[in-house]
Amino acid sequence: DTEVTQTPKHLVMGMTNKKSLKCEQHMGHRAMYWYKQKAKKPPELMFVYSYEKLSINESVPSRFSPECPNSSLLNLHLHALQPEDSALYLCASSQDLKDAYEQYFGPGTRLTVT
Amino acid sequence: AQSVTQPDIHITVSEGASLELRCNYSYGATPYLFWYVQSPGQGLQLLLKYFSGDTLVQGIKGFEAEFKRSQSSFNLRKPSVHWSDAAEYFCAVGARVWEYGNKLVFGAGTILRVKS
C-alpha cells in the first residue's frame, strides 16, 4: 500500500471558522509533510514532522497549526484564515527525513476561504 | 543555493509524437533527482527518481529520464505521448538544506498539452 489519503477533498470555510485537514498513511513512514500549492505554482513546504515531532516550520503563520497524533496521522488545524490562504493543501510522507527517500503525496484538500 | 529550472512553461505535442521536458538543477553535491506528474486538481505522483548508478532511469507510464552531470540536467522523455499524459510535470532535487535531512526543491513546472 503506497497510498496517502487526505480528507476532506474540498473545504469551504469562512474567515472566522475553525476547521482541520487530515492526512493518513500506512506505509510505516516516519516523516510527514504539509505543502501548500497555489494554482500554476509548485508546492511550497509548510511543515515537516519526523518521528512524530515537528522538525521544520517554514515560517508559516500561526493560523496554521499542525499536529501529529501518531506515526500514521497528520492534521492541520486552521483558524482565522484569510482569502489568500485558499489553495490546494498536500500531505506527503517519506520513509525517513534523511537522504534519498522519495516522498509520496496525497491527492490534496482544495481549500476555499470566503 | 539549490534551484531547479524548467525552461518551458507550456509544451504542446501531438498524440503519438515523442516528448522531452527539460530540467536543469543547481546543486553542489551529488543530487537526488525526481520527476513528479500532477493531473488537474490532483496530488503529485512520482514518475521516476535518480539517486546514483545508471544515468538513464526508467519510470512508470513509459517515461524515462537521463542524468547528465556535465550539463546539470535531468530531462524527461517519452517516445510516444498519449492523450492521458496531459498534465503538469515537476522536476525536483533533494537538497540538503537541513542538518539532518533533505528538502525537495521543485521547479516551476511544465504544463503538457496533447493534441489529437
Side-chain angles (χ1 to χ4, degrees):
Chain A
D1 180 8
T2 58
E3 191 178 21
V4 177
T5 59
Q6 289 187 245
T7 54
K9 194 172 174 126
H10 300 276
L11 178 63
V12 179
M13 61 185 290
M15 289 189 283
T16 58
N17 291 159
K18 284 185 182 180
K19 296 286 185 184
S20 296
L21 310 184
K22 181 180 171 182
C23 171
E24 194 163 5
Q25 57 88 13
H26 294 287
M27 295 179 275
H29 288 175
R30 303 317 300 266
M32 296 185 76
Y33 311 75
W34 279 115
Y35 288 85
K36 173 182 177 180
Q37 187 180 24
K38 302 285 274 185
K40 310 295 184 194
K41 296 290 186 186
E44 299 173 16
L45 184 66
M46 300 174 72
F47 302 104
V48 182
Y49 273 81
S50 178
Y51 290 83
E52 299 156 54
K53 289 187 167 48
L54 182 63
S55 296
I56 302 290
N57 176 341
E58 293 278 276
S59 303
V60 179
S62 59
R63 57 186 184 268
F64 296 91
S65 175
E67 177 196 21
C68 189
N70 61 55
S71 61
S72 300
L73 276 175
L74 186 65
N75 298 322
L76 186 63
H77 303 298
L78 315 172
H79 174 54
L81 294 193
Q82 304 297 310
E84 59 265 28
D85 296 321
S86 299
L88 182 68
Y89 287 84
L90 295 165
C91 174
S93 70
S94 65
Q95 185 173 336
D96 204 319
L97 193 57
K98 296 180 182 180
D99 298 328
Y101 293 120
E102 61 265 37
Q103 294 180 25
Y104 293 85
F105 284 80
T109 294
R110 175 73 59 189
L111 174 68
T112 303
V113 181
T114 61
Chain B
Q2 303 81 6
S3 67
V4 177
T5 301
Q6 294 180 245
D8 304 304
I9 299 173
H10 297 99
I11 281 187
T12 300
V13 299
S14 298
E15 191 169 16
S18 63
L19 171 71
E20 183 169 31
L21 301 183
R22 296 183 290 163
C23 172
N24 292 96
Y25 66 90
S26 172
Y27 186 54
T30 301
Y32 301 124
L33 295 161
F34 306 87
W35 274 100
Y36 285 88
V37 61
Q38 186 176 34
S39 297
Q42 300 297 312
L44 278 72
Q45 181 180 24
L46 180 68
L47 282 176
L48 46 78
K49 59 186 184 278
Y50 172 77
F51 293 160
S52 64
D54 193 347
T55 56
L56 184 64
V57 292
Q58 303 296 321
I60 62 171
K61 305 186 180 187
F63 286 93
E64 66 177 28
E66 187 171 13
F67 170 60
K68 293 185 177 180
R69 185 185 298 275
S70 61
Q71 298 176 20
S72 298
S73 69
F74 188 56
N75 294 348
L76 182 71
R77 301 195 293 249
K78 187 169 184 177
S80 177
V81 168
H82 188 261
W83 64 265
S84 59
D85 293 324
E88 188 160 17
Y89 292 78
F90 291 99
C91 181
V93 63
R96 185 166 284 278
V97 298
W98 306 317
E99 180 183 342
Y100 41 81
N102 285 334
K103 176 180 180 178
L104 269 185
V105 177
F106 287 94
T110 296
I111 295 172
L112 172 65
R113 298 191 180 110
V114 180
K115 56 180 182 178
S116 54

